Amino acid sequence: MSLVDDFRTLHHGRAPGDPLVLPGPWDAASARLFEEVGFPALATPSAGVAASLGYADGSVPPDEMFAAVRRIVRSVSVPVSADIEDGYGLPPKELVERLLETGAVGCNLEDSSDGVLKDPREQADWLAEVRSVADGRVFINARVDTFIRGVADPAQAVERARLYVAAGADCVYPISAPPEVLPRLLADIEGPVNAGAHPHGPDLRKLGELGVTRITFGPGLLIRATEALREIAGQLRQT
């Protein structure tokens, strides 16, 4: 099987309490480390990559983001999915071509831009175009941004997720969904669902027991690594 087939297979037939955990590398060194300890696949966080390149989240020029993803992919042998934000306004054909040039097997695609939610039906139509052009070569994780854009009603997240699944998304990601609404989302959305790990939320096994298929971390692992490095640097400064 190809790497994208391997990646797609990892999302299906998982036992309760055994979600697919996808660490988020921000550079080649962190990607190698995650592979070395045994993770079967990785998922880059756009915010983490942005920080590693000296940009604010959402401000990385597309050329630099694709180049960073390419460096990460070539440093490991496991499948890598890339967070490419809202697609940078690229037409589906160009977007898929540029993603495949990096060697990534999947992507996150957000349904908001500049802090504003996109029309869900227009987004579903666009995802369907991306899916058609990709022709099975890209695993599409469709992000649902309602909760981070101030829409607390889970019904609106479910509506968007269903449209995206119908458009051909392989997985949906209701980012920052409160833990208490996850059971409803998981009951009402067909297919794999991505949840983000939260320092004060349910642990990874509990998320899996709820029915979450895969877990990602956003820039969380980079933040923890930076905190550890800050402590080391502080100790060095005191010597």
Side-chain angles (χ1 to χ4, degrees), residues 18 33 47 61 86 92 114 149 161 171 176 181 201 214 224:
D18 180 33
L33 186 151
D86 66 350
D114 296 324
R149 302 305 176 204
C171 184
S176 295
V181 307
R214 78 182 215 175
R224 291 171 64 179

Side-chain angles (χ1 to χ4, degrees), residues 167-223:
D170 296 282
C171 184
V172 291
Y173 179 18
I175 188 172
S176 295
E180 62 270 18
V181 307
L182 275 175
R184 176 177 175 183
L185 298 180
L186 292 163
D188 292 346
I189 298 171
E190 292 186 8
V193 174
N194 187 145
H198 298 281
H200 306 295
D203 64 29
L204 305 187
R205 180 173 293 278
K206 178 61 176 177
L207 287 171
E209 291 171 349
L210 289 172
V212 169
T213 303
R214 78 182 215 175
I215 299 171
T216 52
F217 298 83
L221 298 178
L222 170 61
I223 292 170

